[in-house]
Amino acid sequence: MNVAAYNFAYLDEQTKRMIRRAILKAIAVPGYQVPFASREMPMPYGWGTGGVQITASIIGPEDVLKVIDQGADDTTNAVSIRAFFAKVANVAVTTHTAEASIIQTRHRIPERTLTEGQVLVYQVPIPEPLRYLEPRETETRKMHALEEYGLMHVKLYEDIAKHGRIATTYAYPVKVEGRYVMDPSPTPKFDNPKMHMSEALQLFGAGREKRIYAVPPYTEVVSLDFEDHPFEIQHFEEPCALCGATGVYLDEVILDDHGGHMFVCSDTDNCEDRREHGHRGTLAGHALEAAE
Amino acid sequence: MDAVIEGGFTDRVLGAQSVFRATMDALARPGTVQSIASDAAPPAPLTQELGALALTLCDQDTLVWLDPVLASSEAVTGWLAFHCGAPLTADPSQAQFALVTEARHLPKLDVLGQGTDEYPDRSTTVVLAAAAGTQRVTLKGPGIKNRLDTELPLPGGDFLAQWADNRERFPRGIDILIVRDGALVALPRTTRISEA
Ligand SMILES: [Zn+2]
């Protein structure tokens, strides 16, 4: 990427003002998708340009930035975005959730409870939760305006009819403060309860779809469900093989060609922190390289 | 002419960033006091805080409504034109921002831009310079853990009744940024205010 001649945090001031105005409206109307004039960024759309534009518009020299991709700080995507801001905004970066003032994320919410003053910036591919039910933007906008969310309930109920349960496991729709149905981005539904009454400000940016939305701190975020089929998060049979953690989101890692596998923390910072504090899983002796 | 050119942020980029961040935090945590101290130096009767927020949020893409005191000051309109380039409107319902120097110049909230049910973001954000004095109130709503008992420099008269109506119009409605002494308190349209 060519960032030879750039403004602080890359974006020009007029673009930042436009995005900042959108962020303020998004906070004032929790869960409502504010349109904004998304800009080209020096990275492809799949790399979370919506999140990058939000981070670029809020970040200041005092901030400490953490970037995660599927829970990991060390993927190409996360490393590139972190390096980008270290260069164009000269900010401190970290992998430790507790040290970060801004956490930009793709597809996970950290396991460690976020605290007041932290901002979680989500990279969102498709912001419209009703899109699969109604492709026309003019119609979905009307449905949000009229709070016509019956179709969404029908879709979830069809799941139950077909699978005996709600089969949606990612991007599981939520209702914000009893008003707007919102897509939490493709996080596992495991993370949905973390959004509810979070102390942190949550900002969502969809670059290609040109939408910004927000959940302020201490805001009700309820996963849609039915009385006879209440919302449930995923449960894992075994603890993390490396740190022994339970009650966290695990990824399956293939170890060899003979069906060997293990389940490990998706949140790499949380896993490392636990191991540093002496927690051991059943495969902790095996070097991680064996899995790579 | 010097008075027009002078008085922006010395550091245009970081000045705006820090005032914006305080504004964002204020809206995310209604009723909390956030510092918007800056070196903005607009000409009177535009206060330093009003000037700082105009520099941070207003530009050629935002229609701005000025209260009569500001609108009749050539120093102020000249300064805003030079530093923000924002077009002015005499119609508060069309304004993205309304700059108000005193509560008595605050238009009735329902004549300001409310947005539509489909686009509630197309509404007015009021930036109000508060006078001395505060009122004991209790706030509830998004951004507030349980409830916040505090003292705020709110407009008097029937403001609380107007605000209750504004809350009823949700998701339409206006948001208010109240500024004084280098600090800002925000009331997004979601906040419920009751007298303590
Ligand atoms: Zn682990």
Side-chain angles (χ1 to χ4, degrees), chain A residues 34-56:
Chain A
V34 182
F36 80 110
S38 182
R39 291 290 190 268
E40 291 292 326
M41 296 299 289
M43 52 194 78
Y45 273 122
W47 284 48
T49 54
V52 168
Q53 289 178 81
I54 288 182
T55 299

Side-chain angles (χ1 to χ4, degrees), chain A residues 82-101:
Chain A
R82 206 162 54 231
F84 174 74
F85 282 110
K87 183 169 172 64
V88 302
N90 196 28
V91 293
V93 295
T94 185
T95 58
H96 300 306
T97 300
E99 290 172 5
S101 56

Side-chain angles (χ1 to χ4, degrees), chain A residues 114-126:
Chain A
L114 300 180
T115 55
E116 201 161 304
Q118 288 187 305
V119 184
L120 185 59
V121 178
Y122 296 74
Q123 301 170 199
V124 181
I126 298 169

Side-chain angles (χ1 to χ4, degrees), chain A residues 240 242-245 250 264-265 271 274-275:
Chain A
C240 170
L242 296 175
C243 76
L250 302 178
V264 298
C265 286
C271 194
R274 285 178 52 81
R275 278 179 277 149

Side-chain angles (χ1 to χ4, degrees), chain B residues 6-124:
Chain B
E6 301 298 319
F9 296 129
T10 306
D11 188 328
R12 201 172 62 93
V13 172
L14 296 185
Q17 189 275 334
S18 97
V19 170
F20 164 73
R21 192 65 173 271
T23 307
M24 182 181 88
D25 290 344
L27 268 171
R29 294 179 172 77
T32 63
V33 179
Q34 306 289 336
S35 169
I36 53 165
S38 77
D39 59 5
L46 194 62
T47 70
Q48 202 221 9
E49 295 85 1
L50 290 175
L53 280 159
L55 291 172
T56 301
L57 296 171
C58 302
D59 59 24
Q60 54 270 42
D61 295 328
T62 57
L63 271 176
V64 174
W65 182 87
L66 300 177
D67 79 9
V69 176
L70 296 172
S72 61
S73 163
E74 275 181 35
V76 167
T77 55
W79 190 85
L80 288 171
F82 181 82
H83 291 277
C84 305
L88 302 178
T89 177
D91 177 358
S93 76
Q94 295 300 310
Q96 270 94 64
F97 291 93
L99 303 184
V100 185
T101 52
E102 274 186 74
R104 66 190 171 100
H105 295 307
L106 179 64
K108 291 289 180 194
L109 300 187
D110 61 5
V111 308
L112 293 157
Q114 307 294 312
T116 65
D117 286 331
E118 294 185 7
Y119 292 95
D121 54 305
R122 296 179 181 173
S123 56
T124 307

Side-chain angles (χ1 to χ4, degrees), chain A residues 68-114:
Chain A
I68 50 171
D69 180 5
Q70 306 270 18
D73 298 87
D74 58 357
T75 66
T76 313
N77 186 318
V79 170
S80 299
I81 292 173
R82 206 162 54 231
F84 174 74
F85 282 110
K87 183 169 172 64
V88 302
N90 196 28
V91 293
V93 295
T94 185
T95 58
H96 300 306
T97 300
E99 290 172 5
S101 56
I102 299 174
I103 302 169
Q104 185 174 320
T105 179
R106 174 174 175 270
H107 303 183
R108 274 311 309 279
I109 299 174
E111 303 292 358
R112 177 187 278 269
T113 304
L114 300 180

